[in-house]
Amino acid sequence: MMKNKKSILLLTVTALIILIGLSIGNPDGVHYLSLFAALVFTSISSIFIYKNRAYASFKPLEWLLLIVFSFIVQFSLLDNLHMTSSTIFSLVLYAISRTLLAMLLTAAVLSAIKQINDFHYTFAHPKRYLGIVTILILAISLYYWFAFFPAAMTPDSLAQWRQAHNGEFNDWHPIMITWLIMLLTKIWDNPGIVAFTQIVVVVSIYAYTFDFFIKRKAHPVMIGLLTAIIVIIPSFLIFSIIIWKDILYSAFLLFFTVNIAKIYLSKGAWVKSKASFFLLLLSAFGVAFFRHNGFPVFVLTFLLMIVLFRKNWKPLVTIFLVVFILQKIVTGPVFTWLDVKPSDPNEALSIPTQQIANIISNDGKMSKEEREYFNKVLPIELWKEKYNPYKSDPIKFTWKYYDREFIFNDLGLYFKNYASIVIKNPYLATEGFLKQTALVWQINPFKDGYTDTYVTNIYYGNDLGLKNKVIEPFITHTANAYLAIFKHPVFTFLWKPAFYHCVILLFSLMLVIRRGITSLIIVIPWALNTLSVLAALPAQDFRYLLASVFVSFFFIGLPFIRFDQKEKDVTS
């Protein structure tokens, strides 16, 4: 009885803090509709947690992860930076109340999910079921392909297409993708073959993932839900028709993640077979070579796996060395032999560039020497004129005035001056960082924010003579009409990678509750990819974090598989 009273008291105090914090802490004033919604959700969650309190108990580490997740979720819903000008007390109270509300809702969801323990479903005809799922996903993908035949291409796509045809390579785009385009166009010199290949690869990796779920006894309802997510939400399939390096990279990151799950669940034994060795090698190769930030993702993930699964270190070390050495050979002697032009090292300075620009644009504090230094990098008036809070390209590509050589002649001096003005202008530096990285962390956009999503046409007026062809007007019209539905403001969250990040984090938390902290090794590739994008994000392009979309559906299903199954029953 005493425990019950304590639980009621704790939930009541939590609810009061939430409501008080949202009432007096909101920098934009009281929003009564939001306050009412918070009251409803708080009441329902509290009642549910109390009635299911046997499932609402968590270990200390799980509580810590729950708090971190809740803070991230509430922060992702932040749509303005005005609160930084509020008093410290109201700011802290508002943040705490939002975090507590997120914690209450998350705890309720986790309590409900913890009660699901039926992981013993066996499909009578697993291959038939897998075939139906695969055909359905392939059919929707091909529908998009026919609707926007032969492919969709942007200036980036055209640049790589041009390299594949003239053999004048540069490292702005991964050379493996360029070589793949070269190979495919020997078969059919048309963008359509590249788009078709991407479709086949993406669908095959989706099928590989579903095969994993079916063999691990996932319930048909879960299989059906995941299939529906992929075929209904356009972000899972529409990108396959666009010729971007990000498509194959994102698919291979999913492939890599599924293989790591297999290694984890078998305690490293899965990789011993020749077929498994090849599959892991293939997925690691794609991650390491299909996008520049993929190589450190591959390296760090493998180093962690070698430590965690050291009893089966030989195949892991072998794959690591093969891919690592091959990457060094390609980017070293092969690049030299082919006279591959290096990419712009200034790409890595996107975040500092934006913070400096925000400080200069707002007449932030800086010494005379610092002002003179940044004026040499780019004239002060151009810093102000070219600054776009969400995109560093206008500054970086002011070729005539932006002095890259001056920066890299003494990179230490650049960072010395950068660090100095950041310390002097913490608010402006933080604002510049948060706006530039909004793609990664924000679900509710700022009023002046944007996200570039996808295209369905070949860039108009290109000098290569490439054009789209309408095969059947009805197909193109219906595809456009369907896609238009998801452009409605109510679906804005589906075009925000941060939404998928929150989904991944929620189900990863559920995975930790079911399997323990070591299960987070499965999350590592996605986390490293996301952090690497965060560190050097140049613009608000959805495709940079497309991997988060592809991987998200895998993490939704992962906590609902059978974990104790013998490896001989699930090898592929």
Side-chain angles (χ1 to χ4, degrees):
M1 181 64 73
M2 185 62 69
K3 258 188 179 179
N4 292 348
K5 287 183 178 179
K6 284 183 177 179
S7 298
I8 293 172
L9 180 62
L10 180 63
L11 289 170
T12 303
V13 170
T14 301
L16 285 173
I17 293 173
I18 291 171
L19 295 176
I20 292 170
L22 293 178
S23 298
I24 68 175
N26 192 336
D28 294 328
V30 180
H31 293 172
Y32 292 103
L33 185 60
S34 298
L35 198 61
F36 176 74
L39 176 62
V40 172
F41 284 124
T42 300
S43 301
I44 293 173
S45 299
S46 299
I47 293 169
F48 183 86
I49 290 171
Y50 178 74
K51 288 189 173 182
N52 297 272
R53 53 193 175 279
Y55 295 96
S57 59
F58 304 102
K59 297 175 182 176
L61 179 61
E62 293 167 357
W63 274 115
L64 177 62
L65 293 175
L66 177 58
I67 292 169
V68 172
F69 169 75
S70 300
F71 178 79
I72 291 172
V73 169
Q74 69 86 23
F75 193 76
S76 73
L77 297 173
L78 182 69
D79 60 2
N80 69 68
L81 296 175
H82 298 158
M83 65 176 61
T84 52
S85 62
S86 304
T87 64
I88 295 297
F89 174 75
S90 61
L91 168 62
V92 171
L93 184 60
Y94 188 59
I96 289 174
S97 64
R98 286 165 60 98
T99 302
L100 284 174
L101 177 58
M103 278 184 64
L104 208 58
L105 293 171
T106 305
V109 170
L110 292 176
S111 301
I113 292 175
K114 283 174 75 174
Q115 299 178 54
I116 302 173
N117 291 301
D118 182 16
F119 307 120
H120 301 279
Y121 190 89
T122 302
F123 288 87
H125 304 284
K127 290 184 178 179
R128 184 185 301 173
Y129 205 96
L130 178 61
I132 292 171
V133 171
T134 304
I135 290 171
L136 185 57
I137 295 173
L138 179 61
I140 301 299
S141 299
L142 292 176
Y143 192 88
Y144 285 133
W145 187 47
F146 289 139
F148 308 111
F149 187 84
M153 302 176 76
T154 63
D156 265 5
S157 316
L158 295 168
Q160 197 158 20
W161 182 265
R162 190 176 287 107
Q163 286 184 45
H165 283 76
N166 62 24
E168 297 177 4
F169 305 116
N170 67 57
D171 198 32
W172 282 77
H173 303 286
I175 200 165
M176 284 293 176
I177 299 290
T178 307
W179 287 346
L180 176 61
I181 294 173
M182 288 179 70
L183 176 63
L184 292 172
T185 52
K186 297 296 182 185
I187 302 169
W188 180 29
D189 193 8
N190 188 290
I193 193 170
V194 181
F196 180 75
T197 301
Q198 289 183 166
I199 287 170
V200 170
V201 171
V202 170
V203 172
S204 297
I205 291 173
Y206 277 148
Y208 182 74
T209 308
F210 276 104
D211 179 66
F212 168 83
F213 283 136
I214 290 171
K215 287 179 177 177
R216 282 281 171 181
K217 311 296 185 182
H219 197 278
V221 172
M222 177 56 67
I223 300 295
L225 173 64
L226 297 177
T227 305
I229 287 172
I230 291 172
V231 300
I232 292 174
I233 301 175
S235 56
F236 284 89
L237 295 178
I238 188 61
F239 287 90
S240 298
I241 68 163
I242 309 173
I243 302 177
W244 281 331
K245 59 183 176 287
D246 312 273
I247 314 309
L248 291 180
Y249 172 77
S250 299
F252 270 78
L253 193 78
L254 170 60
F255 186 18
F256 189 49
T257 303
V258 175
N259 287 336
I260 291 174
K262 291 185 175 188
I263 293 170
Y264 169 75
L265 293 171
S266 67
K267 298 179 181 178
W270 176 80
V271 77
K272 287 181 177 179
S273 74
K274 291 181 180 179
S276 300
F277 181 92
F278 172 75
L279 290 171
L280 182 60
L281 174 62
L282 182 61
S283 62
F285 176 88
V287 170
F289 280 96
F290 288 168
R291 206 166 71 180
H292 294 319
N293 72 307
F295 185 66
V297 171
F298 153 76
V299 169
L300 293 174
T301 302
F302 254 83
L303 291 177
L304 284 170
M305 284 202 297
I306 289 168
V307 172
L308 190 60
F309 306 112
R310 50 191 173 275
K311 290 183 180 179
N312 296 284
W313 64 270
K314 288 184 179 179
L316 294 175
V317 170
T318 302
I319 292 172
F320 176 77
L321 290 176
V322 167
V323 176
F324 187 88
I325 293 171
L326 183 59
Q327 197 269 353
K328 295 306 174 185
I329 291 172
V330 170
T331 57
V334 174
F335 271 29
T336 302
W337 178 53
L338 293 174
D339 192 26
V340 177
K341 303 295 185 296
S343 58
D344 183 3
N346 197 68
E347 287 291 303
L349 299 180
S350 287
I351 303 301
T353 297
Q354 293 296 87
Q355 291 177 297
I356 293 166
N358 195 44
I359 291 168
I360 292 174
S361 297
N362 288 280
D363 298 316
K365 299 174 185 176
M366 65 176 68
S367 68
K368 182 181 178 182
E369 292 77 14
E370 289 162 352
R371 186 178 181 85
E372 288 175 355
Y373 174 83
F374 290 115
N375 189 59
K376 289 179 181 178
V377 174
L378 181 71
I380 295 296
E381 62 271 16
L382 287 180
W383 278 105
K384 295 182 178 184
E385 178 188 329
K386 297 294 183 180
Y387 177 52
N388 178 326
Y390 303 96
K391 195 173 186 178
S392 60
D393 290 354
I395 291 175
K396 290 187 305 183
F397 297 147
T398 307
W399 297 103
K400 187 178 178 180
Y401 301 102
Y402 188 79
D403 197 339
R404 288 165 169 74
E405 189 174 342
F406 176 71
I407 293 173
F408 288 96
N409 279 343
D410 192 344
L411 194 58
L413 181 60
Y414 173 86
F415 278 109
K416 178 184 176 182
N417 286 306
Y418 159 68
S420 177
I421 67 170
V422 165
I423 292 170
K424 291 174 183 175
N425 303 274
Y427 169 71
L428 292 175
T430 302
E431 181 184 50
F433 174 80
L434 290 177
K435 287 197 170 184
Q436 179 62 21
T437 59
L439 182 78
V440 179
W441 63 268
Q442 189 180 52
I443 296 175
N444 282 353
F446 295 127
K447 289 182 180 179
D448 60 344
Y450 77 96
T451 303
D452 281 335
T453 53
Y454 63 90
V455 295
T456 56
N457 62 281
I458 296 175
Y459 187 69
Y460 297 122
N462 67 82
D463 60 359
L464 298 174
L466 298 173
K467 296 180 180 179
N468 291 98
K469 179 182 178 182
V470 176
I471 296 175
E472 169 53 55
F474 176 75
I475 294 177
T476 303
H477 173 74
T478 52
N480 275 320
Y482 182 75
L483 292 172
I485 294 172
F486 289 88
K487 291 180 180 178
H488 190 280
V490 74
F491 293 117
T492 297
F493 69 96
L494 292 176
W495 301 108
K496 296 295 180 182
F499 166 72
Y500 300 94
H501 296 165
C502 289
V503 169
I504 292 168
L505 290 172
L506 173 62
F507 287 93
S508 296
L509 179 56
M510 187 67 247
L511 183 64
V512 169
I513 290 172
R514 288 198 185 280
R515 292 291 298 179
I517 192 67
T518 55
S519 63
L520 287 180
I521 186 65
I522 305 172
V523 187
I524 290 298
W526 163 78
L528 291 174
N529 178 68
T530 304
L531 290 173
S532 64
V533 172
L534 176 71
L537 184 68
Q540 309 300 305
D541 288 15
F542 188 88
R543 63 188 172 107
Y544 296 149
L545 289 165
L546 180 62
S548 298
V549 178
F550 285 8
V551 168
S552 64
F553 97 98
F554 177 62
F555 281 100
I556 292 173
L558 197 55
F560 302 99
I561 62 170
R562 187 174 177 184
F563 293 108
D564 60 350
Q565 195 167 357
K566 292 181 180 179
E567 184 57 27
K568 65 180 181 180
D569 297 328
V570 295
T571 51
S572 55

